[in-house]
Amino acid sequence: MANSGSGDSMTVRIVRVLETFSADRTVQTAAQIGRRAGLASSTAHRIVDDLVDAGLLERDDEHRVRLGLRLWELALRGSRALRLRQAALPHMELVQTRVREHTQLAVLEQEEALFLERLSHPEAGANITRVAGRLPLHASSSGLVLLAFASHELRERVLAAPLRRLAPETVTDAAALRRLLAEVRRSGYVVAAGSIEQVSTGVAVPIRDAGEVVAALSVVLPRGADPEVAIAALRSAARGIEAVLASGR
Ligand code: PHB
């Protein structure tokens, strides 16, 4: 790949352009992209034009661009995330019917919980998770499950770094978090009350594929709700999803 004057390859520059998009910043002009990606305006305009031609970005009437449907199509094709989501969806619907609250599927991605799917009930309470959104590992129920079963190295890295307080009850003390993670490994679930939002309780369980934890399944309950039905529904759904994954369907 040809290099720019700064030494970055074209691939690196394209990735920088794509990474300027976030959950909160979905529409931008080429000039804004250039500034945020640290690229010369002419370079940014050229890359954006090429990506629009390829369908990876889409341009609106005001000449602003967003990530294209073609990018979504390519990313999902044959991906692990899609396989997991398809195996999980019917079982998430069962949880949904029983618990009548939000139900989420998350995987570990670059030291955060990345949400692949979320089902909501019309009467469900608050929920800050978004599909393709992320939450910190130490402060969400899904994240706590993923962290509890992550590699020793990852767990130690998270425990050694400052643990940001997102709500009054976020566990920010490393020794307390270590004890909580051991308890999650022992019990096979977590009930995280007020960990990321004071008004909600997250409940999550692990999902295994070939013995390895590959995802977390969670529900978000109103704070103070009894978690027992949710725990039972999540456990039975996790077993169902694991059976689908094991069958290779
Ligand atoms: C959680 O998983 O702990 C969680 C997620 C989203 C919320 C509240 C709790 O809005």
Side-chain angles (χ1 to χ4, degrees), residues 130-167:
R130 298 279 173 271
V131 173
R134 292 164 178 252
L135 288 182
L137 292 178
H138 72 287
S140 60
S141 61
S142 301
L144 287 165
V145 160
L146 295 168
L147 186 57
F149 293 98
S151 69
H152 177 75
E153 291 72 31
L154 172 65
R155 208 161 43 243
E156 290 307 318
R157 214 164 37 245
V158 172
L159 284 163
L163 298 165
R164 200 156 68 86
R165 184 179 299 284
L166 286 116

Side-chain angles (χ1 to χ4, degrees), residues 104 115 126-129 135 139-143 192 195-197 200-204 218-220:
Q104 291 82 214
F115 288 84
N127 184 0
I128 59 169
T129 58
L135 288 182
S140 60
S141 61
S142 301
S195 178
I196 200 154
E197 274 194 303
S200 310
T201 296
V203 184
S218 65
V219 294
V220 177

Side-chain angles (χ1 to χ4, degrees), residues 14-231:
I14 290 172
V15 170
R16 283 197 351 232
V17 164
L18 295 175
E19 283 184 341
T20 60
F21 292 88
S22 69
D24 304 318
R25 191 195 293 140
T26 56
V27 183
Q28 313 179 76
T29 63
Q32 289 169 330
I33 291 174
R35 271 198 304 281
R36 288 167 181 147
L39 295 171
S41 173
S42 56
T43 308
H45 277 84
R46 190 159 39 80
I47 293 175
V48 165
D49 285 346
D50 286 350
L51 292 175
V52 168
D53 287 346
L56 302 189
L57 294 180
E58 289 170 6
R59 187 170 268 141
D60 66 18
D61 295 344
E62 287 156 57
H63 234 66
R64 299 174 312 172
V65 289
R66 63 172 67 239
L67 295 175
L69 211 51
R70 175 92 179 116
L71 195 59
W72 174 87
E73 179 191 3
L74 291 174
L76 250 61
R77 204 171 278 170
S79 78
R80 277 184 306 122
L82 183 62
R83 174 171 171 261
L84 198 55
R85 180 180 167 276
Q86 275 172 343
L89 257 180
H91 298 278
M92 292 176 71
E93 280 160 10
L94 290 176
V95 172
Q96 188 72 3
T97 309
R98 274 180 79 183
V99 182
R100 300 163 73 86
E101 294 289 350
H102 306 276
T103 307
Q104 291 82 214
L105 179 70
V107 292
L108 181 63
E109 168 62 21
Q110 291 174 333
E111 305 199 5
E112 289 178 303
L114 171 66
F115 288 84
L116 302 184
E117 189 53 275
R118 172 186 128 157
L119 299 182
S120 294
H121 191 273
E123 285 142 41
N127 184 0
I128 59 169
T129 58
R130 298 279 173 271
V131 173
R134 292 164 178 252
L135 288 182
L137 292 178
H138 72 287
S140 60
S141 61
S142 301
L144 287 165
V145 160
L146 295 168
L147 186 57
F149 293 98
S151 69
H152 177 75
E153 291 72 31
L154 172 65
R155 208 161 43 243
E156 290 307 318
R157 214 164 37 245
V158 172
L159 284 163
L163 298 165
R164 200 156 68 86
R165 184 179 299 284
L166 286 116
E169 284 155 277
T170 310
V171 178
T172 54
D173 174 66
L177 181 58
R178 193 183 289 281
R179 284 194 298 276
L180 174 61
L181 296 175
E183 177 56 25
V184 174
R185 282 192 296 277
R186 196 195 59 73
S187 67
Y189 67 86
V190 70
V191 176
S195 178
I196 200 154
E197 274 194 303
Q198 216 169 355
V199 294
S200 310
T201 296
V203 184
V205 301
I207 295 172
R208 291 182 171 80
D209 187 13
E212 296 278 313
V213 171
V214 292
L217 188 66
S218 65
V219 294
V220 177
L221 304 176
R223 185 65 187 273
D226 182 351
E228 288 311 315
V229 172
I231 294 168

